[in-house]
Amino acid sequence: MCGILAVLGCADWSQAKRARVLACSRRLKHRGPDWSRLYQCEGNFLAQQRLAIVSPLSGDQPLYNEDQTVIVVANGEIYNHKKIRKQFASKHTFSTGSDCEVIIPLYEEYGENFVDMLDGVFAFVLYDTRTKTYMAARDAIGVNPLYIGKGSDGAVWISSEMKALNEDCVKFEIFPPGHLYSSAAGGLRRWYNPHWFAEKVPATPYQPLVLREAFEKAVIKRLMTDVPFGVLLSGGLDSSIVASVTKRHLIETEAAEKFGTELHSFVVGLEDSPDLKAAREVADYLGTIHHEFHFTVQDGIDAIEEVIYHDETYDVTTIRASTPMFLMARKIKALGVKMVLSGEGSDELLGGYLYFHFAPNKEEFHKETCRKVKALHQYDCLRANKATSAWGLEVRVPFLDKEFINVAMSMDPEWKLYNPDLGRIEKWAMRKAFDDEEQPYLPKHILYRQKEQFSDGVGYNWIDGLKAFTEQQVSDEMMQNAAKVYPYNTPINKEAYYYRMIFERLFPQESARETVPWGPSIACSTPAAIEWVEQWKASNDPSGRLIASHNSASANGHGNGNGNGVVVANGTNGAAANGTANGKMEE
């Protein structure tokens, strides 16, 4: 990951303005500690803080065409860059080994209509001195963060993170995924228009080998690296499949020629947490060089303010899950590793969260997966990217490969539904695709391990400790006045109030608070899915433990015989003493 900042159309070209842009760009240095540079043409500034992953010796930015009339700053990984280089070998003289340099010949050949030709994740700004126009674009799902704002002089600011522009813009917002901004056309337009965006229920039959092959290709292309790398391994389905596929195909890659075929895996958790045990077992099975990092509840609490600063959110679930990841990223970077693969995106594409068990039909199930994927840039993508780039570590997410998304979202959702009568648990389609009797990817009990939310899997005491701590920091009187103090997205419990206090101190602008999504949630659901079960409307805790189909749900909440119970939180700090299940109070 890198950090980019562009300020375009400034009325002020002075040295003082240049110094200000430099100062703002340096707020992104954590994202790119390896190199930085600022380009200026009159009142247009393009800056980049580089994390060197591909071509570390020759890929410094900004990037230019032959006569330096087209300039690009980018935060991206373009996995098909070698194919594009061959396409333009006779037309364009490449001056670096950067995968992002291919943006320039594509622009010169196709104008602004080339973004869908890029296979990868990216956020970039391109300035054309010949026409004095510029464009910016963000990847399909929003894996890489980007913000856009307006200065008081009318200048357009575009930045990888909010902290580089919030003080200099009168208004700013999230740059939407799958969009490009064109100064020539005068605004944003969508470049990514997949079939599933209309939320029409697909009818393509389940083809396990097609799903498997699409995912394996997604993993293999993400092994494009010139620096040491590893995998994040919690021991759950998603990270375990990523690790297994990586281990299986690593020997075929150029990365193996540079760094060997040994694969490093990493996990974080409290002592004796579920993830530590499961990850150790998977690592032993795959034969990875495994690194286990422990943290305490106090370590996490002490890091909360830094996490909110880097994540730029006050969303409770995001902060809970980001904190262990933030602590782990620091340890990984200290080992000399600069890139890791991770399992984000699977639950959204395949309906892996436990609340999907309660989808009333396949139509509602599919619509919810569409809503979840569209919102990933505000939740898991934001968490995975920012919590790790805080320490100059890059995370790659093969589940969010554009082609894999097309395959997963084209599948008839009937095959994704939870159906215990047919032996189908959550993400059964993915589990079955990798259930190979002859050449097993994983042991059966790991392949069919139940979903854990990351913040729960690192240790249940982590959530309980956060609640106990914030209970002491926020008084009842403060909660009674919450709507007056925070009329926008009013915190509904003490944990949320505590995070909001920190956020407002760091990012006091109205535009900043408007970048954070809000609304009721159960086990990571969207607000729309709350309507599936009447009892969920009483909950104010997003933890997956509130779904009684979870193996570790409260002993007071009882299911309906096949694991489909509901435990509802009625207080500000967790589940009520007696869980409500199936409309009846259980003793």
Side-chain angles (χ1 to χ4, degrees):
M1 291 299 142
C2 303
I4 63 171
L5 173 65
V7 186
L8 303 145
C10 289
D12 180 2
W13 308 355
S14 69
Q15 177 60 32
K17 186 66 175 183
R18 182 182 177 92
R20 177 59 186 168
V21 174
L22 277 169
C24 291
S25 174
R26 290 187 186 112
R27 295 178 184 176
L28 305 174
K29 189 181 291 186
H30 55 277
R31 298 186 62 86
D34 297 334
W35 184 249
S36 64
R37 183 170 286 159
L38 171 64
Y39 166 87
Q40 179 183 0
C41 177
E42 299 177 342
N44 302 287
F45 303 84
L46 280 76
Q48 198 232 25
Q49 303 283 339
R50 187 186 183 206
L51 179 67
I53 302 292
V54 174
S55 188
L57 298 179
S58 72
D60 292 341
Q61 298 190 31
L63 302 165
Y64 304 90
N65 65 347
E66 292 90 337
D67 61 4
Q68 299 197 356
T69 55
V70 176
I71 304 93
V72 167
V73 289
N75 167 29
E77 303 99 46
I78 310 302
Y79 301 120
N80 61 338
H81 78 105
K82 289 186 178 180
K83 180 180 178 181
I84 297 172
R85 281 174 178 268
K86 289 180 181 178
Q87 177 186 344
F88 290 100
S90 62
K91 299 180 181 180
H92 179 84
T93 302
F94 290 92
S95 59
T96 77
S98 169
D99 50 304
C100 292
E101 190 177 350
V102 299
I103 292 169
I104 293 171
L106 285 170
Y107 168 76
E108 293 185 314
E109 182 78 12
Y110 301 104
E112 294 178 344
N113 300 313
F114 70 88
V115 182
D116 201 25
M117 301 175 191
L118 300 172
D119 181 7
V121 295
F122 49 82
F124 70 82
V125 179
L126 180 151
Y127 181 69
D128 190 333
T129 63
R130 300 165 297 189
T131 58
K132 297 187 183 299
T133 58
Y134 58 89
M135 66 171 291
R138 189 178 182 190
D139 66 72
I141 302 301
V143 173
N144 287 7
L146 201 63
Y147 295 82
I148 184 168
K150 275 282 182 76
S152 58
D153 62 351
V156 173
W157 290 62
I158 301 170
S159 174
S160 294
E161 294 185 4
M162 188 164 65
K163 58 181 64 67
L165 56 70
N166 63 313
E167 294 177 356
D168 292 79
C169 290
V170 292
K171 186 170 179 58
F172 55 90
E173 61 189 7
I174 292 172
F175 192 111
H179 281 71
L180 69 84
Y181 181 91
S182 167
S183 66
L188 287 159
R189 71 173 185 269
R190 173 168 286 283
W191 66 264
Y192 180 58
N193 295 288
H195 59 84
W196 57 269
F197 249 62
E199 300 184 5
K200 183 179 178 181
V201 178
T204 304
Y206 170 53
Q207 298 172 287
L209 290 183
V210 172
L211 191 69
R212 183 203 292 183
E213 288 170 8
F215 186 72
E216 289 190 310
K217 288 179 181 177
V219 171
I220 292 167
K221 71 177 69 168
R222 280 162 179 78
L223 301 181
M224 176 187 80
T225 177
D226 293 322
V227 298
F229 73 99
V231 293
L232 303 186
L233 179 60
S234 70
L237 176 70
D238 307 332
S239 65
S240 297
I241 288 180
V242 171
S244 180
V245 173
T246 302
K247 180 68 175 176
R248 182 167 297 199
H249 293 285
L250 179 57
I251 194 171
E252 307 160 11
T253 68
E254 292 182 9
E257 297 175 12
K258 300 167 188 170
F259 307 111
T261 57
E262 296 285 4
L263 179 64
H264 290 260
S265 58
F266 308 95
V267 68
V268 66
L270 302 179
E271 290 280 358
D272 300 320
S273 67
D275 281 359
L276 294 182
K277 179 181 178 183
R280 201 177 302 133
E281 186 175 5
V282 176
D284 288 344
Y285 178 82
L286 297 177
T288 67
I289 300 173
H290 192 55
H291 307 269
E292 190 174 286
F293 304 125
H294 299 170
F295 77 105
T296 67
V297 171
Q298 190 61 55
D299 290 334
I301 289 171
D302 290 344
I304 289 291
E305 182 161 338
E306 280 187 283
V307 168
I308 293 173
Y309 173 75
H310 284 288
D311 274 13
E312 301 176 323
T313 188
Y314 48 85
D315 175 68
V316 171
T317 301
T318 302
I319 295 167
R320 286 176 174 181
S322 288
T323 304
M325 200 170 197
F326 172 84
L327 296 171
M328 175 172 57
R330 187 176 191 180
K331 291 278 193 178
I332 293 172
K333 187 63 183 291
L335 294 175
V337 172
K338 296 177 74 173
M339 185 273 282
V340 290
L341 274 67
S342 189
E344 279 75 16
S346 171
D347 291 312
E348 289 74 14
L349 291 167
L350 299 168
Y353 293 111
L354 298 179
Y355 75 89
F356 274 99
H357 291 191
F358 300 89
N361 51 56
K362 72 177 186 179
E363 289 79 16
E364 283 299 313
F365 186 106
H366 181 68
K367 289 178 181 178
E368 177 69 358
T369 60
C370 292
R371 290 189 292 262
K372 288 293 292 179
V373 175
K374 291 176 183 178
L376 265 168
H377 67 287
Q378 293 180 293
Y379 295 100
D380 282 24
C381 288
L382 178 151
R383 167 184 56 78
N385 184 286
K386 292 183 178 180
T388 54
S389 63
W391 302 107
L393 178 69
E394 176 172 296
V395 166
R396 295 183 179 176
V397 284
F399 280 105
L400 297 180
D401 179 80
K402 205 162 47 169
E403 183 54 37
F404 181 76
I405 291 172
N406 288 340
V407 172
M409 295 301 280
S410 297
M411 187 196 312
D412 186 337
E414 185 71 33
W415 294 94
K416 300 179 183 179
L417 289 174
Y418 173 77
N419 190 330
D421 295 333
L422 296 177
R424 296 180 188 170
I425 62 173
E426 66 277 352
K427 291 183 288 194
W428 175 86
M430 194 71 182
R431 300 175 196 271
K432 186 66 176 176
F434 283 88
D435 194 351
D436 189 324
E437 296 287 350
E438 295 183 2
Q439 293 181 302
Y441 285 81
L442 293 166
K444 292 274 190 182
H445 64 283
I446 292 292
L447 195 59
Y448 291 95
R449 182 191 182 204
Q450 189 183 46
K451 165 71 182 172
E452 292 270 12
Q453 286 191 166
F454 180 67
S455 52
D456 286 338
V458 298
Y460 295 123
N461 288 340
W462 168 232
I463 304 300
D464 298 335
L466 279 175
K467 291 177 182 178
F469 172 75
T470 54
E471 175 73 28
Q472 296 173 346
Q473 306 306 308
V474 179
S475 68
D476 292 341
E477 183 179 1
M478 292 165 74
M479 283 304 303
Q480 290 169 6
N481 293 316
K484 295 178 181 178
V485 178
Y486 302 119
Y488 183 83
N489 287 352
T490 304
I492 60 173
N493 58 45
K494 293 185 176 182
E495 187 181 0
Y497 194 107
Y498 180 74
Y499 300 156
R500 185 64 175 275
M501 286 194 300
I502 296 172
F503 181 89
E504 291 284 341
R505 185 171 73 252
L506 297 170
F507 305 104
Q509 299 82 11
E510 181 179 354
S511 290
R513 66 182 68 102
E514 290 175 353
T515 64
V516 181
W518 203 246
S521 177
I522 189 82
C524 296
S525 76
T526 68
I530 294 290
E531 300 300 318
W532 293 351
V533 177
E534 183 65 29
Q535 291 92 337
W536 288 354
K537 299 174 186 178
S539 172
N540 70 351
D541 186 331
S543 174
R545 285 181 284 167
L546 298 181
I547 304 291
S549 57
H550 195 289
N551 293 332
S552 299
S554 168
N556 291 322
H558 298 277
N560 59 8
N562 61 8
N564 282 347
V566 184
V567 179
V568 177
N570 293 315
T572 59
N573 284 297
N578 293 306
T580 302
N582 304 318
K584 297 186 290 183
M585 291 300 295
E586 302 291 344
E587 298 300 328

